[in-house]
Structures are given as C-alpha cells and as structure tokens.
Amino acid sequence: MATFAKPENALKRAEELINVGQKQAALQALHDLITSKRYRAWQKTLERIMFKYVELCVDMRRGRFAKDGLIQYRIICQQVNVSSLEEVIKHFMQLSTERAEQARSQAQALEDALDVEDLEADKRPEDLMLSYVSGEKGKDRSDRELVTPWFKFLWETYRTVLEILRNNSKLEALYAMTAHRAFQFCKQYKRTTEFRRLCEIIRNHLANLNKYRDQRDRPDLTAPESLQLYLDTRVEQLKIATDLELWQEAFRSVEDIHGLMSMVKKSPKPSLMVIYYAKLTEIFWVSESHLYHAFAWLRLFTLQKSYNKNLSQKDLQLIASSVLLAALSVAPYDRNYGASHLELENEKERNLQMASLINFALDPKRESREMLSRSSLLVELVTKGVMTCVSQEVKDLYHLLEHEFLPLDLASKVQPLLTKISKLGGKLSSASSVPEVQLAQYIPALEKLTTLRALQQVSQVYQSMKIEMLSKMIPFFDFSVVEKISVDAVKYNFVAMKVDHLKDAILFGNVDIESDRLCDHLTILADSLNRARSLIYPSVKKQSKLGENLHGLAEIVDKEHKRLLARKSIIEKRKEEHERHMLEMEREEEYRRLQLQKQTEQAEQQRLATEYSRREEQRIRREIEEREAQEVQDLLQGTGKLAKRKGKKPLLEGDKLAKKDLLQHIVDEQVKGRQEMEKKLQKLAKTMDYMERAKREEEAPLIEEAYQQHLVEEKILHEHEQLKEIELSRQHHAGDLQEKNRLSRMLDNKAIFQDRIVSHREEEYNRLKKEREDRINQLAAMRKREREIKRKLLFYIKSEEERLTKLREEEEARKREEEERRKKEEAERKAKLDAIAERQRQRERELEEREKLRRDALLGKTAEPPSQPTDPVSGPRPSEPVAVAAAAAAAAAAASGAGKYVPKFRRERAEGLQAASPEPDRWGRQDDRPPPFSDRWRSDDRRPSYGGGGSRLPSSSSSWSSSRSRS
C-alpha cells in the first residue's frame, strides 16, 4: 500500500500511471488513499480525487471498487460537505449512463455495418460457423459482447448508489432522484426482472427505516418534504409497473403506498390520490375484479369532482359514465353461494384488505359482502349524484337492465345502445392524471349482463323454450357461449334452468325434490286423500269425531317435535363431520403439495447453485486469463512506444516473455529514465541559478535609484498635505468660537433645568430605595419564620423516625427472643423424645437377649446325659469354657458308644471341638475366627443378673469368643 504525504501527490501519481497505460495501478493507488485513515478530514483535493477515481472505475467497469470508495467518501464528507458527495454520485451515474448509451450506439452501428448482401465478404469463416451453430444473429452477438456488460454495470451503479444513499435525511432528495432514474432505465429497456428487484430493494429500505428507529440521520417521515419524496418515488414505481404490465408488482406498489399513508397517518395530496385510483382501476380491471374496479372508479370520480376546478362538463360526463358502466359490469349474483366456511373467511379478509386499499370506512358489525356488493354500489352511485352526470345512452341502458321487464325484447333494445356507447371515449383534456377513457372495454361485460337478465326474466315467464328461439332473442353470442354463462348462473343460484339437447329445448325452474314446485306435493296429496275419505265416510257425530282426533294429539305433537329436533341435530352433526373431514383432507393435500413443492424447489435451488458456482468459477478463471493476456499486451505496447520514443529497439519476442520479465524490464527502463531526467533537472537548475544571480546583480543599482526618487516625491506630497490640514484647522476653530458665543447666553437656563432634573431624580431614587429596604426586611422576616417552621418540622420528623425505629428494633428483638426460646424448647423436646426412644430400644434389646438365653438354656439341657447333675439356675460359667466343651464332647462320645441317638449338630460340634481346640495366643486371647459353618442358634454374652451369676468376670469376653467359635 503506497503512502503519500499529500493527496495531491496521489492524484499526480495516478495521472502518471494512466499516461503509461497502467489504469489498474492508478485505481489501486487512489483506492488506498481513499480508504486510508490518514485522510479523514474533507478537503477540495479529495473531491477531485473522487472524480478521477469514479472515472477509472467506470472506464474499467469495477463496480466493487466504486462502491467501496463511495462508502468511504460518504463517511468523510457526510457531516462536513454533503453536496460534494452528491456531485460525485451524479458524475458517477452520468458517466455510467453515457458509456451504456455509447455501447448501444456502437452496437447499432455495428448492426448497420453488417447488414449487407454478401456475408462472406465481410465475415470470417469462424464467424459464419459460429452464427450457424449458435443460431445467433449479428445483433444478438453484438449486444452480448458490447451492450450487455455496460448495461450490467449501469444497473450495478444504480444499486450501489441506492445502497449508499439509503435512510439518510441529508441525501433523501438524491436518493429519490436515483430511484426515478433507475425506474426510467427499467422502462426504457423493458427490464422487468431488474424492476422487480429494484422495487424489493426500495421496500427493504423502508422496512429497515421503520425497524431501526434510533439510527443517526434517520429521515423523518412526518416531515412534509420527506413524505412527499417517498410518495413520489412509489407513485413513479406504480406508473412504471403499469407501463411494463407487471400487474402483480403494481398491486404490491399500491400496497406500499397505502402502507406508507397508514404509517404516517396523513392523507396525501389529491393529485397523488388521483394517480393512485387511476392506476388502481387498471389493476382491478386486468385482474377481472369488476366490483373493486367500480369502487375505485367511484373514488376517482369523487376526487375529480371535488378538487379539479378545471374539469369540463364533457369530461365529467365521460368519467360518470365509466363509473356507472363499471358498476353494471359486476356480476349480478353472489359468488359466495355454496362456498365453505374457509372460503367465506378468506373472502371476508380479502374484502377488508381491498376496502382498506380503496379507502372505504367499513362498519365492523356488518358483513363485508353486504358492504362491498353490487347493490350497495348502485345505491352509492345514486347518493353521490353520479346518475345526474352520465350520458343519456348510459342512463337508458341502466334503466333497461335494472328496472325494465322485457323478456323478449331486452337484447334487441340494448344492442343499439351498446353500439353507441362503444363509440364514446377518448383522452380527458382537463384531467391529465386520468388515463384515456374508452367505454368500449365494458361492452363484453354488458353483453353478458344482458344475457343474464334475459335468462332471468324469461325463466319467470316461461317453463320451457326452444333453443332456436332463445338464440334469436340473444344475438350477442352463440348458444355455446350462452350455455357457459347459464352454467355459472345456475351454479350461483341466479337462474334455475336445464338444457335438454335431445328435445332441443330449455326447461326453466327446478324439478328436484327440494324445489318450490314439489315442496308442497305431499301436503296437497294428504289434503286430497282427506277430502276423498270424508266423501266416502261422512262424519256422523262431529263432536265425537273431534274428540277422537284430539285424543292424544298433544303427545303425538310432542313426540313429532322431539323426533324432528333429533333429526335436525343429527343432520347438523353429519354436516359438521363432513365439513371437518373435507377440511382435514384439504389440509393434508395442501401439506403434501407444499412438501413436494418445497422438495422440488430445494432440488432446483441446489442444482442452480451448483451450476452457478461452476459457471462462476469458469468465468473467474477465464477473466483472470484474459486479464493476464491483456496486461501482457498492454505491457508490450507500452514497452514498444517507450522504445520508439527513445530510439531504442523494441522487444520482438513479447509473446515468449513472461509477465514478470516484462514488468522487470519496464521498471528498469523507468529507473533509467528517472535517472536521466534527474540529471537534466540538475543541469537546468544550475543554469537557472546563474541566470537569476546575474539578473539580481544588474537590477540592484536601478532599484536604489528608483527608491531615492520615490522618497523625494513622498516628501513633497507630505508638506503639501500638512499645509492643507493647518488651514482646515484654523477654519474649524473660528467656527467653534462663534458657536460658543451664541450658546453662552443659555448657560443659566441650562443650570436651572439641570438642578431641577437632578433633584427630582434624587427624590425618586430615595423613595425607591426606601421601598426596596422595606421589602427586603419583610422578605427576611418571612424567610426567618419559614426557617423556624421548617426546623421545628424537621425536629418533629426526626424524633418520630427515632421513635418508630426504636419500636421496630424492640419488636425485632422480641421476635428474635421468641424464636430462640421456641428453638430451645423444640431442641429439649426432641432430646427427651430421643432419650425415650433410646430407652425403648434398650429395653427391646434386653428382652431379645433374655429370649436368646432362654432358648440356649433349653437346648443345653436336652443335650446333657440323665445321670449328670445340672444346675437349672446358673448353667455353665463363662470361666470354664474348656471343661464345658470337653464334657459336651465326652457326653456325645458316650452317647454314641452306648447306641443312644445324638442330634447331627451335636455330633458335628463335638467332632469340631476334638479336631481343633483353640489355643490361647501370646496375649492371652483365643482365636475368635468364625468356623466354616454356624448353627442356627447363637448364644449371647449377656447373662441374667439373678442367682449366682450376678457379676461379670474379666474373662467373659474371651469365654464368649470361644463359645462363638465352638458354636
């Protein structure tokens, strides 16, 4: 990155590089300067640098460089000099537009030059082969090679400028101008895709403006100037959308204008509203929304009649006729007949949205179809006075179609009126914002309405009619078209009719079970049967007959009523279940369709992304190769020019040399040229130094002589001016003396007047001083009283606060004491409960030990021989474990020797004692390891305290260990 001491040096360096053909290096040098943080203070030189920078960007079609540079320049001059940024941006757009137009003119000239008879004389074989293979004409290829790159760059320029200028209050006028120029670009060259993107960009800018409300320098939409600029931009967008026939984008533009008006809560100018409703009529007519089209025409008529003072009677009559014909073009039947609940809700939301766009105040308590309907529209036309302004032909047509009943002659009387109406229309002279009004566009809809009215009136008079006769009655259409119209009328319950092609006739009226003709059939049959029965069996006693009929009538009526209610509820439930089932099926179908569409779109997006990345890589690789080849050619040309200028031999093997070698050669040549130039400059400086010194030596005596002459002239002039000043002073002094003598006689009167004024002012001053002192004393006393009251109040408040604080502290201390006492009592109670529980557990353990001792005693008693004396009270002592074990073993052996039965556990215990008797260790303890098996019963070391075993011996623990080992 090159650094420059001053911005002027960078500009000079860029110009030098441009002169030698290195535009890319010049652009990079200026880009480094603009993006550097050293030059953030605006100066006039930076503006000239930006002009040169954008010229290079346009010349080389570097949109990214231009965007970066303009963003940095906006940061530099936004708070200092915004007009400089405007000038740079205007210059940038002007250069881009000129280059695009120049490329277009070159392509046109190339097309004219190639438009010759003999193609082989002007084209190469390669071009002919390419044209035959690709199928492109000369204009297509020239546009692709010359015009398309520059138009892409111009479109990128508009996008860059709009992105830089967005949401900035200081640049909103330039933003609006750029948007208008971009719209005109799309209109001039029929760029529909770019127009959609441009509308989306502007829409996103407004959304971001509402989203980030704390942004610095944010435009204020409540300001009249800002609001007018935004509205003008969107109105222009609406115009261009309708001119390009992008009706969906036009409708979105209408929504943008309406959203902007709703956001600001302010109604725009009537001139803008006229354009708004004029375009709205075109959009609704193209979308075949005849009802909304008629309402838009009504609003347009109201605005023109109220605000257009130059509106002529002829133009007013033409607009009113358009309003009435648009209202008559609406279908006379309700299209919501037979629709589901979901469709009705969607239609209601759509009516609300359209009504808000047309700016109608809806009553929320009424249904939208009752408000926006054909009947309400016709009533509105009568109340607004539209019927008084229409032409006579349109008025006659209205009365024929809406108020007359002529089943056979309706079409024949309407046809001449339609012929006259089709010739009316033209451009309005006093309403420039309204498009050209042609009443002929309503003729097909009026013919369809005439057909429907004729079918409706004929169905009320005839039950059947020949198809041939009906075709003669309706001369507008063939019978196939009439049949299609009648199908829609029957579908929406406007006419009840059937076409029987076998009999070549039309049947009017419904013949279904639910029709009006057969709904009373059963009732009539019952009445007839009752009359016949009464004639066959006449009634003898009317009173008894009446009594028989009335007997149980209330019960029958009640049962029938309940049955009908049950049937009605069942039917309603079945209808609801059917509707719910249909809704679920619709949701599932919609979900499957959306999933399939989403998968298809994802696959397509992935394929497009892959294809785009592959093409982008190929394009970048091709551009790099082309740029390398172009740079090599530029270097070769520059090297050849420099060599010819210096009389040197140019390079002949440029195609074999690499770019690095060429750059090194050019750098060496530049260094040599710079050294030669420095030598020439040194020689020229020395020559100029000698010349300057010689000139100064020669002009020194001449300057001294001129100076002395100038001193003499100045001295003479000074003396003359001094004499003139003395004479003027004398004259002024004499005049002043005369004036003094004249005014001296008034000196006494002046003294008297002065004394009177001074005494009066002194009295006034003393009075005011006294009043001020009294006021100050009163104010001091009052403030003293206030301070005393405030001090007492503060003392009272402080004492109250201390008292309350003391009471609060005492209360808290009391609560803490109670809490501590409660915790202490709880701890004592818990300790008592623990002691009781411990005693209870101790008692249970003692009982359990006693039970175990009792069981051991019983077992030992049964194992001893009968001849051996036993002590039932004391039992074996713990101090004699070995003797007891030996006795038990001897007893077992004796029993076994004598043939007496001994239990198995006794025999095993005796054998274990004989096999391994415990030996005391060196510390006097016996082995207390557990045996390989244990008995079910286990003795404890506790002994009862009664009898001879009242005290425990020190050897009880070892005795207990030995007894555990034995057991």
Side-chain angles (χ1 to χ4, degrees), residues 789-816:
I789 292 171
K790 186 177 181 181
R791 187 167 56 252
K792 290 181 179 179
L793 183 61
L794 290 174
F795 176 75
Y796 174 74
I797 292 172
K798 185 177 180 181
S799 60
E800 268 308 303
E801 289 179 353
E802 290 178 355
R803 185 178 65 81
L804 292 175
T805 304
K806 187 175 180 181
L807 290 175
R808 189 164 54 252
E809 291 177 354
E810 290 177 356
E811 182 68 19
E812 291 177 356
R814 184 180 61 79
K815 288 181 179 180
R816 284 196 300 271

Side-chain angles (χ1 to χ4, degrees), residues 207-248:
N208 292 331
L209 177 63
N210 296 325
K211 185 177 180 181
Y212 304 105
R213 296 183 179 274
D214 55 347
Q215 184 180 1
R216 187 178 180 183
D217 297 330
R218 174 181 174 272
D220 187 10
L221 293 179
T222 58
E225 297 82 4
S226 301
L227 179 61
Q228 190 63 33
L229 286 174
Y230 275 84
L231 281 177
D232 290 341
T233 302
R234 276 144 186 84
V235 169
E236 184 69 19
Q237 174 183 335
L238 178 59
K239 289 180 181 178
I240 302 301
T242 53
D243 292 341
L244 294 175
E245 296 184 355
L246 298 174
W247 303 112
Q248 187 174 5

Side-chain angles (χ1 to χ4, degrees), residues 526-537:
D527 293 339
S528 301
L529 292 175
N530 286 329
R531 284 197 300 270
R533 182 176 178 277
S534 63
L535 291 174
I536 296 172
Y537 302 103

Side-chain angles (χ1 to χ4, degrees), residues 229-283:
L229 286 174
Y230 275 84
L231 281 177
D232 290 341
T233 302
R234 276 144 186 84
V235 169
E236 184 69 19
Q237 174 183 335
L238 178 59
K239 289 180 181 178
I240 302 301
T242 53
D243 292 341
L244 294 175
E245 296 184 355
L246 298 174
W247 303 112
Q248 187 174 5
E249 196 61 41
F251 185 74
R252 295 187 69 186
S253 303
V254 168
E255 289 181 335
D256 293 342
I257 296 173
H258 183 265
L260 188 60
M261 292 189 296
S262 303
M263 186 191 310
V264 182
K265 306 296 183 185
K266 190 175 181 181
S267 179
K269 295 180 181 179
S271 59
L272 289 179
M273 294 303 297
V274 168
I275 299 173
Y276 174 81
Y277 286 116
K279 299 301 179 183
L280 205 58
T281 56
E282 297 182 25
I283 295 170

Side-chain angles (χ1 to χ4, degrees), residues 451-701:
T451 304
L452 289 172
R453 290 298 185 195
L455 291 174
Q456 183 186 24
Q457 294 177 9
V458 167
S459 66
Q460 296 176 7
V461 177
Y462 296 95
Q463 291 184 352
S464 64
M465 178 180 287
K466 288 292 184 180
I467 294 177
E468 183 180 359
M469 183 177 179
L470 183 64
S471 300
K472 292 179 180 179
M473 288 172 52
I474 304 174
F476 309 122
F477 307 111
D478 295 335
F479 182 73
S480 59
V481 180
V482 175
E483 190 174 5
K484 291 180 181 179
I485 295 173
S486 62
V487 166
D488 290 337
V490 172
K491 176 182 178 182
Y492 296 114
N493 200 26
F494 183 71
V495 177
M497 58 179 289
K498 284 187 176 182
V499 179
D500 192 349
H501 289 280
L502 293 177
K503 298 179 180 180
D504 197 16
I506 299 173
L507 304 177
F508 295 102
N510 244 338
V511 293
D512 297 333
I513 289 296
E514 300 295 333
S515 64
D516 295 335
R517 186 181 299 175
L518 298 180
C519 61
D520 297 332
H521 180 72
L522 295 178
T523 305
I524 296 171
L525 178 63
D527 293 339
S528 301
L529 292 175
N530 286 329
R531 284 197 300 270
R533 182 176 178 277
S534 63
L535 291 174
I536 296 172
Y537 302 103
S539 58
V540 180
K541 296 180 180 180
K542 293 184 178 180
Q543 294 181 354
S544 62
K545 186 72 174 179
L546 182 63
E548 292 177 359
N549 291 333
L550 292 177
H551 180 68
L553 182 62
E555 185 178 356
I556 294 171
V557 170
D558 190 15
K559 289 182 179 179
E560 187 69 18
H561 180 64
K562 290 181 179 179
R563 186 181 66 80
L564 291 176
L565 289 178
R567 182 174 179 273
K568 183 179 179 181
S569 62
I570 292 171
I571 292 172
E572 291 294 332
K573 288 181 180 178
R574 288 179 180 176
K575 286 183 179 179
E576 292 177 359
E577 187 66 28
H578 180 67
E579 290 181 359
R580 191 181 303 111
H581 181 64
M582 294 299 293
L583 285 176
E584 290 178 356
M585 290 179 64
E586 289 178 0
R587 290 196 191 97
E588 292 177 358
E589 185 67 25
E590 184 69 17
Y591 177 74
R592 285 196 297 269
R593 187 183 65 80
L594 291 176
Q595 289 292 330
L596 182 59
Q597 182 179 0
K598 186 176 180 182
Q599 292 176 1
T600 308
E601 290 177 354
Q602 288 178 356
E604 184 66 18
Q605 290 177 0
Q606 186 175 3
R607 187 187 65 79
L608 290 176
T610 307
E611 185 70 17
Y612 177 76
S613 61
R614 185 179 61 80
R615 291 180 180 177
E616 192 69 18
E617 289 177 0
Q618 292 178 359
R619 183 185 62 81
I620 292 172
R621 191 179 299 110
R622 187 169 57 252
E623 287 182 356
I624 291 172
E625 293 175 356
E626 292 176 357
R627 187 164 57 249
E628 290 287 341
Q630 185 66 30
E631 288 177 358
V632 169
Q633 293 296 328
D634 294 341
L635 290 174
L636 284 174
Q637 292 176 3
T639 306
K641 292 178 181 179
L642 186 62
K644 289 179 181 179
R645 192 186 310 149
K646 294 184 178 180
K648 297 180 181 179
K649 184 179 180 180
L651 293 175
L652 297 178
E653 299 179 353
D655 52 347
K656 298 180 181 180
L657 294 176
K659 181 182 176 182
K660 184 177 180 181
D661 299 335
L662 288 173
L663 289 175
Q664 185 64 34
H665 178 73
I666 291 170
V667 170
D668 295 340
E669 292 294 331
Q670 289 178 354
V671 171
K672 290 179 182 178
R674 193 180 298 112
Q675 290 175 358
E676 293 176 359
M677 184 61 69
E678 287 178 358
K679 291 178 182 179
K680 290 180 180 180
L681 289 176
Q682 288 177 2
K683 186 177 180 180
L684 182 60
K686 190 178 294 184
T687 305
M688 291 180 64
D689 189 12
Y690 291 155
M691 291 294 295
E692 188 68 24
R693 185 179 301 170
K695 284 195 300 182
R696 290 186 181 182
E697 288 178 356
E698 289 296 329
E699 72 182 2

